[in-house]
Amino acid sequence: MYGRATAEAVFLYQDIKQIVMNDIRTFTIDEFNKQMRQPTLHPEVAVIDPARLEDDGTLCFTGNFYAIRFVQTRCGEARYGRKCADFQYGTLVFTKPGDIVRVCREDAVDGSISGILFHPELFSTKSLVFKKTDYTFFDYRENEALHLSLQEKRIVQDRLEHIHEELRRDIDRHSLRLVSAGLELLLDYCVRFYERQFACRTDIDGEYMEKLDKTLSQYFSLCGQKSVEGGISKVESALSSLSPAYLNDFVRAETGKTLAEYIRIRMMEYIKKRVHKEGCPLEQVAGEFGFYQPRLLALLYRQVFGCQPEHYLLTPDYKLN
């Protein structure tokens, strides 16, 4: 009975989601500005000022742009993932092209603009062209939002106002470069603030690392061929409540390694156990983990542990730094 009810609820949710998606409009930057009754100051950048909406007004839309915006969380802490270790002075949500953006009148921030939209072309500018991969939070889910301290909130507001000030100037050959530089500084601050949030959550998020390690142990113990890619798939499935981007950044914050690097090290530790404690031939273990030539496994073994497999007993146990 429970399983049937759950399945019916899933189908109902999908139907409702489809109806909602059908009602969402697709805007360009200029069309968004017209909807908000504000001038288009630049064809590739727009500010978000919810105060321009009517009382209790809400605008839901999508388009080919990135968005950074403040949201109110008085009644929606769970929606945006706020935890007991998080600050409560402001919440930032990040979306990428094609995602739904929701602007509400109640999201107005102290009479200031509450966010910014910008076209993907800005990542082609000189200041941002090599840094797009640093800003992984655009691939986070809504409940993985950034919760700011009072000082952090003021810094973000100040950066948004500086970008807005530049947009209000007449466009010249310096405009795009200066707007991009302002955007780069804003995004770099967001990277710093997310790293601070990960650090504050270390104790309460420890269960994620425990579940990750348990999942890997079970996976490496299975019969059949194993790989780093297979381990990533298993971990992402076990921790499906986290987006892949957030999971990777969380593991990096906890261990200093990416998810793939961490899994590779755990895999090599398991291989070391199989070879030296269980006495399995290197050729057999190499086949289990997709190394068609044992010498390739021996090479990786040396890179990780600093010695060949046969020299293991002469070296101390490897520890993850």
Side-chain angles (χ1 to χ4, degrees):
M1 179 67 70
Y2 176 78
R4 179 179 178 182
T6 302
E8 291 175 350
V10 170
F11 285 126
L12 178 60
Y13 167 77
Q14 292 174 340
D15 290 342
I16 293 174
K17 183 179 179 181
Q18 185 62 46
I19 293 173
V20 171
M21 286 298 296
N22 290 338
D23 289 340
I24 297 213
R25 298 179 60 186
T26 300
F27 289 152
T28 63
I29 293 288
D30 184 62
E31 290 168 342
F32 166 77
N33 286 326
K34 290 177 179 177
Q35 193 71 26
M36 295 293 290
R37 293 173 295 179
Q38 63 187 21
T40 297
L41 302 175
H42 193 284
E44 295 182 336
V45 187
V47 297
I48 300 174
D49 183 5
R52 290 181 171 272
L53 293 172
E54 298 178 357
D55 292 343
D56 300 325
T58 299
L59 181 63
C60 292
F61 58 96
T62 186
N64 187 29
F65 38 68
Y66 291 89
I68 307 170
R69 70 190 194 282
F70 278 101
V71 293
Q72 294 292 340
T73 59
R74 288 189 298 270
C75 300
E77 282 79 0
R79 175 177 182 176
Y80 297 111
R82 177 179 288 164
K83 300 185 179 182
C84 59
D86 294 331
F87 287 107
Q88 302 183 21
Y89 289 97
T91 297
L92 277 181
V93 173
F94 303 82
T95 52
K96 61 183 179 298
D99 288 348
I100 297 173
V101 181
R102 183 172 178 267
V103 178
C104 302
R105 179 67 173 79
E106 64 178 15
D107 290 336
V109 181
D110 304 331
S112 304
I113 62 174
S114 72
I116 188 171
L117 305 177
F118 63 94
H119 194 275
E121 278 296 315
L122 265 71
F123 277 123
S124 299
T125 58
K126 185 176 180 180
S127 60
L128 292 171
V129 65
F130 297 116
K131 301 189 68 175
K132 182 178 179 180
T133 55
D134 294 342
Y135 309 131
T136 52
F137 39 72
F138 285 110
D139 290 313
Y140 290 1
R141 295 172 183 162
E142 192 175 62
N143 63 351
E144 295 162 347
L146 176 59
H147 306 286
L148 303 171
S149 68
L150 182 58
Q151 182 187 37
E152 291 169 349
K153 178 182 177 181
R154 288 172 175 167
I155 289 173
V156 171
Q157 288 178 309
D158 184 57
R159 292 299 95 209
L160 288 171
E161 288 297 338
H162 273 75
I163 294 173
H164 192 198
E165 180 180 351
E166 178 58 36
L167 289 174
R168 286 195 293 260
R169 297 177 179 272
D170 293 336
I171 294 179
D172 57 28
R173 66 187 183 91
H174 302 286
S175 298
L176 186 60
R177 176 173 58 84
L178 292 173
V179 169
S180 298
L183 181 60
E184 178 189 14
L185 186 55
L186 170 62
L187 294 173
D188 285 347
Y189 271 118
C190 291
V191 171
R192 168 187 277 184
F193 299 156
Y194 256 118
E195 289 178 355
R196 187 272 311 151
Q197 182 164 289
F198 279 124
C200 289
R201 290 182 174 185
T202 295
D203 292 337
I204 61 176
D205 280 351
E207 62 187 55
Y208 291 139
M209 285 304 300
E210 293 177 7
K211 192 169 185 178
L212 188 156
D213 286 330
K214 182 178 179 180
T215 299
L216 289 178
S217 296
Q218 293 173 343
Y219 172 64
F220 292 143
S221 299
L222 294 174
C223 295
Q225 194 173 100
K226 278 83 70 171
S227 65
V228 172
E229 292 74 17
I232 292 175
S233 178
K234 289 291 184 182
V235 168
E236 289 181 349
S237 177
L239 295 172
S240 58
S241 61
L242 305 179
S243 67
Y246 186 91
L247 174 60
N248 189 70
D249 291 345
F250 165 74
V251 172
R252 190 198 299 271
E254 290 289 313
T255 68
K257 311 291 183 183
T258 66
L259 179 59
E261 291 169 343
Y262 183 79
I263 291 176
R264 183 175 293 108
I265 289 172
R266 287 290 179 252
M267 182 180 75
M268 295 305 298
E269 290 176 342
Y270 185 80
I271 289 174
K272 182 172 70 174
K273 174 185 173 183
R274 291 276 285 152
V275 171
H276 297 288
K277 292 187 178 180
E278 299 178 10
C280 295
L282 186 64
E283 292 78 4
Q284 176 184 334
V285 178
E288 291 177 4
F289 287 88
F291 295 92
Y292 298 107
Q293 298 184 24
R295 65 183 181 85
L296 297 178
L297 174 57
L299 178 61
L300 181 59
Y301 191 104
R302 183 173 183 174
Q303 289 176 345
V304 174
F305 297 116
C307 65
Q308 296 290 358
E310 59 269 22
H311 298 154
Y312 164 72
L313 294 178
L314 301 179
T315 61
D317 285 344
Y318 175 82
K319 299 294 184 184
L320 178 65
N321 295 321

